[in-house]
Amino acid sequence: MLRGLQLGKSRQYSKSTFAAAGFVSVLPDDVRRRLLDQGSVRRFAKGELILQRGDTAREFWYIESGVVQIGRYSVDGKLTLFALLGPGESFGEQGFLGEFPRMVDAIAGNETTLIEIGEAELLAAIESDSSVARIMLKAMANMVQQAFDLIDAGRNLSTVERVSQALLQLRSEEDSDVAIPVTQQELSELVGVSRISLGKALGRLEADGVIQRHYGRITVPDWNALLPSRD
């Protein structure tokens, strides 16, 4: 999803504030490849728990393929969805670097291949290139900024604008007319609105020709139409 760490306005408009995509994707190519080559490949079936809230964070994860749901299970087993992450993104860095318990649950949304990265692999990457530590600091600062953006979005954006931001986050390709594999239930949880409110927002976007709804997926013919107005 995230093609580069951009901390200015272009970052704000090109990617939703709803989830950070980690720092692995923005490492120098040779450093990233060495880091991933040294990690352990793990495969998870759809619905399988990857990490659990409260666990000690001893590693973080890079997504090779598949979709990972980030959220929290309630005591009655209901998952409140915070983000959907895809190939090229990483997660779990905050708990790993901060040495505090996991704050969220992560579940495989479908057949998923991940690379598990621990302390030894990360230290080797830092020692191989001095820019790695700086990139990590920028990525962590970006995550904090996104938390503030999320609060701001909840206060100031309409439901249609929040849905547009969420769809931008879920974009996994640069081309137009790409189908986003997301259900309305997942999208409503991600945005934090009811199914009824989401349906109205999607209906408005579809009536304006911005999206096309299909069973289990949404197609966006023109991604620029989802960008916030700068007037």
Side-chain angles (χ1 to χ4, degrees):
M1 290 184 183
L2 183 63
R3 303 301 178 185
L5 186 62
Q6 305 167 35
L7 302 178
K9 287 186 177 180
S10 59
R11 170 68 174 83
Q12 178 183 358
Y13 292 123
S14 66
K15 182 73 174 176
S16 167
T17 60
F18 289 85
F23 70 91
V24 175
S25 63
V26 294
L27 291 172
D29 290 344
D30 58 332
V31 176
R32 180 175 64 254
R33 194 67 263 164
R34 284 200 302 271
L35 177 65
L36 297 179
D37 286 345
Q38 292 170 358
S40 301
V41 176
R42 299 279 304 278
R43 293 179 174 84
F44 294 85
K46 180 179 180 178
E48 190 173 355
L49 190 65
I50 300 167
L51 58 86
Q52 188 171 23
R53 181 167 48 139
D55 286 350
T56 301
R58 296 189 176 90
E59 75 290 312
F60 63 98
W61 304 83
Y62 177 85
I63 305 173
E64 278 279 341
S65 64
V67 174
V68 174
Q69 300 173 327
I70 303 295
R72 283 185 178 178
Y73 279 112
S74 62
V75 292
D76 60 359
K78 184 181 186 307
L79 177 67
T80 298
L81 190 65
F82 297 158
L84 295 173
L85 305 181
E89 297 187 298
S90 54
F91 62 96
E93 296 99 327
Q94 287 178 298
F96 172 74
L97 294 173
E99 297 183 341
F100 49 74
R102 302 289 189 191
M103 300 176 64
V104 296
D105 300 302
I107 306 95
N110 52 22
E111 296 292 328
T112 303
T113 301
L114 306 178
I115 297 180
E116 180 182 352
I117 302 170
E119 183 174 1
E121 293 80 18
L122 182 59
L123 287 177
I126 292 174
E127 292 173 357
S128 71
D129 192 317
S130 60
S131 69
V132 173
R134 178 176 55 82
I135 291 171
M136 286 174 53
L137 289 173
K138 284 187 176 182
M140 295 302 105
N142 193 44
M143 289 181 182
V144 173
Q145 181 60 53
Q146 288 195 351
F148 286 111
D149 287 345
L150 177 59
I151 295 173
D152 195 41
R155 292 175 177 172
N156 301 319
L157 296 182
S158 68
T159 301
V160 170
E161 290 171 327
R162 291 166 66 186
V163 171
S164 297
Q165 287 277 292
L167 292 173
L168 284 168
Q169 176 212 328
L170 296 173
R171 180 182 185 181
S172 60
E173 301 289 344
E174 295 297 333
D175 298 329
S176 296
D177 205 26
V178 174
I180 302 172
V182 62
T183 66
Q184 290 197 27
Q185 181 63 41
E186 291 172 331
L187 192 56
S188 66
E189 292 174 356
L190 184 61
V191 177
V193 298
S194 69
R195 285 282 301 274
I196 294 175
S197 295
L198 176 71
K200 291 179 179 178
L202 290 176
R204 178 176 169 183
L205 289 171
E206 189 167 38
D208 290 341
V210 178
I211 68 168
Q212 297 170 358
R213 286 184 287 183
H214 312 276
Y215 181 75
R217 61 190 176 92
I218 294 173
T219 301
V220 183
D222 182 7
W223 289 99
N224 290 328
L226 289 174
L227 296 176
S229 172
R230 306 187 187 184
D231 296 337

